[in-house]
Amino acid sequence: MLRIAKGPVVRALASLTALAAGAVLALGVGAAPASAAEGSCAGGATGRLPRLQDHRFYVQCAGGVATVVACPTGEVYAPGTQLCAAPELVRPAVATVATAGPAKLNGLLFGVRNLSTTVRIAEAPAGLDGVPVTFTTVGGRTLCTAVTDQFGAARCDTPARLTIPLDELLRGYRATYAGIAGIYLPSSATAPIALL
């Protein structure tokens, strides 16, 4: 019988063994505590659950404690195998829906305030968190960019002293999520810009 002393070497060996067994580790990202909405790990449950907000992650249940773990870059969680894999092997890209709210123009010297959007997965009420959104005029000029929060919401204001013609701004703006190839389809929404 082989006995191995406890310490850093054992932890390193355990990590390598987990990788060899096909486990997915959140390298460089770190695992983060999951919220109650991440999945039910209550009652001492163990195993992996899908993370509805973003399939690039999954929820690891260990003794009733939920932890969000990232799949390797470019992979998504496959509930059937409970492993991460290339998106095309798991499922087709998922549709997203963007919505936008009205913004206010405080003159060309002060810019546009409250450009806002929410990006969510089309088949679920969950917002898509941590994804970049670009806000442009309807004509395509960039106003600002932002990243969605844990609820899928993003908001930004333009810089002051805009050089964009007033009539172009008053036609409204577009919030665009570019998507992630093979994982999430792009979506966009338009909303009005009104003078204060």
Side-chain angles (χ1 to χ4, degrees):
M1 182 168 135
L2 178 64
R3 290 191 173 164
I4 300 175
K6 294 183 179 180
V9 174
V10 172
R11 285 192 292 276
L13 286 173
S15 293
L16 288 173
T17 303
L19 266 175
V24 180
L25 301 177
L27 298 174
V29 176
S35 69
E38 298 288 357
S40 177
C41 290
T46 59
R48 296 178 180 166
L49 300 171
R51 184 170 190 239
L52 298 178
Q53 292 91 329
D54 192 338
H55 295 283
R56 295 173 297 169
F57 301 85
Y58 64 88
V59 178
Q60 177 69 54
C61 294
V65 177
T67 305
V68 176
V69 181
C71 286
T73 302
E75 294 187 1
V76 295
Y77 180 71
T81 61
Q82 293 193 350
L83 297 173
C84 293
E88 59 274 11
L89 299 175
V90 177
R91 58 176 167 72
V94 174
T96 63
V97 176
T99 56
K104 302 286 184 188
L105 175 62
N106 193 7
L108 294 176
L109 290 178
F110 300 105
V112 181
R113 302 285 180 244
N114 298 321
L115 295 159
S116 62
T117 189
T118 300
V119 180
R120 66 177 181 81
I121 299 168
E123 66 224 25
L128 197 54
D129 60 340
V131 298
V133 176
T134 303
F135 296 90
T136 63
T137 64
V138 174
R141 294 190 206 208
T142 300
L143 297 170
C144 56
T145 60
V147 174
T148 59
D149 63 15
Q150 70 268 25
F151 304 108
R155 183 193 162 286
C156 65
D157 299 332
T158 67
R161 302 190 184 282
L162 289 174
T163 57
I164 298 170
L166 181 62
D167 64 328
E168 184 177 348
L169 289 171
L170 292 177
R171 283 188 274 154
Y173 74 95
R174 175 174 284 116
T176 303
Y177 165 56
I180 300 172
I183 302 174
Y184 293 109
L185 295 174
S187 60
S188 66
T190 58
I193 297 175
L195 281 169
L196 279 178

